[in-house]
Amino acid sequence: MNLDPELVDQLRRVLTSVEQILPRPVPPIDWGRCVAANWRRHSFAGYLEPMQAVDDITLEELLGIDKQKQIVEENTRQFLRGFPANNILLWGSRGTGKSSLVRALLNRYAEAGLRIVQVDKDDLTSLPDIFCAIDQQPYRFIVFCDDLSFESGEKSYKVLKSALDGSVYAAPANTLIYVTSNRRYLVPEYATDNLGAKLVNNEVHYGEGVEEKISLSDRFGLWVAFHVFSQDQYLHVVRQCVETLARRHAIAVAWSKELEQAAIAWSHEKSKRCGRTAFQFARRWVGRALLEAEPRAPSEQPA
């Protein structure tokens, strides 16, 4: 059949345009080999993409949050055994180990069948598609959304609320939802929110606006709070981090007043006493000690 060359060119252009908006062909994930994946949205559809590398952090490396580790690990173990378990909201100050704890749990329990699907806030509207993709898999999945917060009118708010509530977009039995946020209620709080509060039988009843905001976080069975350290807690974690890094690199780093004062000054510069700040300082201090212990190359000798 002979086609008009101009028509053939038009068909080529149409097919090229369609290919650009369609998701690329992706083979099904082999969950036996892959322990974590990202949900990638592409135009009108989405797909699960295996994570090429997973942070190798361990639970033992997370210092100063023993109570939080115990709560979240126990819930995860219940889930892996098929016992009743809760969705979790890990909330609190930045850098306190919320997302690191979830990654450490994956490293501890991947061999027991734990898997993670990470989804961005803007892609929470795809939760029904994610659930369908993992529903029949013989593994236990944590759908993980990191650093979540909502502004007024966002559509993903209601989809997440429905998934947590077990109604229209209910998660399958092999899935829990873990979320980290700097906000306890996942939404901004304003001074005007309390204007509608009233006292009924000596109990405070909030206005409709506040009740709506609280209703989302209420759907998480567990709230796990992460707070900044006191100075003594911070210095204790710094010391443990320095000792761990020094031991790993076979170098002796003595605890001294100079080191302590440097760690305090570091936390002031960062405006935060937390595990992340302590670990960053330890990397700086131990790394510099290793550099000073090495003989200088000729090109590095001072003129």
Side-chain angles (χ1 to χ4, degrees), residues 78-130:
Q78 291 168 213
F79 176 52
L80 289 170
R81 294 288 299 275
F83 300 154
N86 281 298
N87 300 306
I88 300 182
L89 169 61
L90 302 93
W91 72 275
S93 188
R94 67 187 191 278
T96 47
K98 301 183 294 293
S99 57
S100 294
L101 176 52
V102 177
R103 293 194 295 269
L105 285 170
L106 175 63
N107 292 328
R108 168 71 62 86
Y109 293 105
E111 291 187 3
L114 184 64
R115 299 293 184 266
I116 283 182
V117 173
Q118 185 158 321
V119 55
D120 291 334
K121 178 188 75 171
D122 294 338
D123 294 333
L124 286 172
T125 51
S126 298
L127 278 177
D129 296 325
I130 296 172

Side-chain angles (χ1 to χ4, degrees), residues 1-15:
M1 181 175 66
N2 294 324
L3 294 176
D4 182 0
E6 185 176 345
L7 177 59
V8 172
D9 288 340
Q10 289 177 339
L11 289 172
R12 281 202 188 97
R13 289 196 296 272
V14 170
L15 289 173

Side-chain angles (χ1 to χ4, degrees), residues 36 139 179 192 194 244:
Y139 297 95
V179 163
T192 54
N194 294 317
T244 299

Side-chain angles (χ1 to χ4, degrees), residues 22 36 56 69 78 88 90 98-100 105 111 113 123 153 165-166 187 203-204 225-226 261 264 274 286 296 298 302:
L22 290 176
D56 60 358
K69 284 195 293 185
Q78 291 168 213
I88 300 182
L90 302 93
K98 301 183 294 293
S99 57
S100 294
L105 285 170
E111 291 187 3
D123 294 333
D165 206 25
V187 288
E203 291 185 354
V204 175
F226 291 72
Q261 292 302 319
I264 293 172
C274 62
V286 175
R296 288 192 177 187

